[in-house]
Amino acid sequence: ALAPRRGWVFPGLDPRLAAVPAVLSAEPAARPYAAAAKTAKKGSQKAKQEETKKKKVTRRWRLMSKPVDDVYLTWYYERPSYDVEKAVGMLKKFQELDFTYPKQYVYINVFLDMALQKKKKVDPFASNVLLPYRFTDETNKVLVFTENEQEAEIARENGAAVVGGVELIKWILEDEIQVDFYVAVPAIMPKLIPLRNKLRRKYPSTKRNSLGHDIPKMLQLFREGLEYMVEDERVIKTRIARV
């Protein structure tokens, strides 16, 4: 404030102050590669993280030899498998030790190979089979479609629950008649088309052995047979016997 001129107190300051506004007002230098470098850096970090994750392998325990007694950690050993005869013997032994019902059912899980060529698979299906030894006295109710009186009599003699022709269609559509299975002779099939959507997989067909001329054979299969179906795309779970 006492100096009449600034340059007398701080010589050379004026030129520097004059240059400052020019620097501040100037546009910042272009950095065309800055953003790309930053992106590349992030990308490289992400790639490194993914590589690190891939390198991390969960620890797997080595399988040891067979256990020396009947108390052991199951994940250290392979799951044992037995022949059918030995497995059934073990089930009977367990039944005696546990005092369980001696006529309890024996179940089986069948794992199928459903793969076809060109990455295709067999569609899950259902079917019936006659086992060599029946393990239950239960029988299914079977309806027989036929308009031939002689065939109708044969069906009744072999245990058909319901026998008839096109007159049954109305009662089935209205749920007045409900049975477990439906079989038919080929001559009546063109008249049963209205039932296709209603019966779905139970609609008579040669593929399921529910359409044919041998009425006694069809009735035996569906009255006494065991129905099974493929679950989870490849597994059949069903009972096959009693202990």
Side-chain angles (χ1 to χ4, degrees), residues 219-232:
L219 281 170
Q220 184 185 16
L221 173 62
F222 289 98
R223 288 185 73 248
E224 304 176 5
L226 174 69
E227 184 183 24
Y228 64 89
M229 63 182 62
V230 178
E231 303 176 19
D232 302 326

Side-chain angles (χ1 to χ4, degrees), residues 172-219:
I172 296 173
L173 291 174
E174 295 177 357
D175 294 326
E176 295 292 335
I177 295 179
Q178 294 182 352
V179 296
D180 298 307
F181 298 101
Y182 301 82
V183 301
V185 294
I188 198 174
M189 285 306 295
K191 302 177 182 180
L192 300 181
I193 294 177
L195 292 174
R196 185 184 294 274
N197 293 332
K198 177 70 175 180
L199 301 184
R200 297 181 180 273
R201 65 182 181 85
K202 291 186 177 182
Y203 188 75
S205 67
T206 54
K207 188 176 182 179
R208 293 205 62 191
N209 299 315
S210 56
L211 176 62
H213 295 283
D214 196 338
I215 294 177
K217 184 178 180 180
M218 291 190 296
L219 281 170

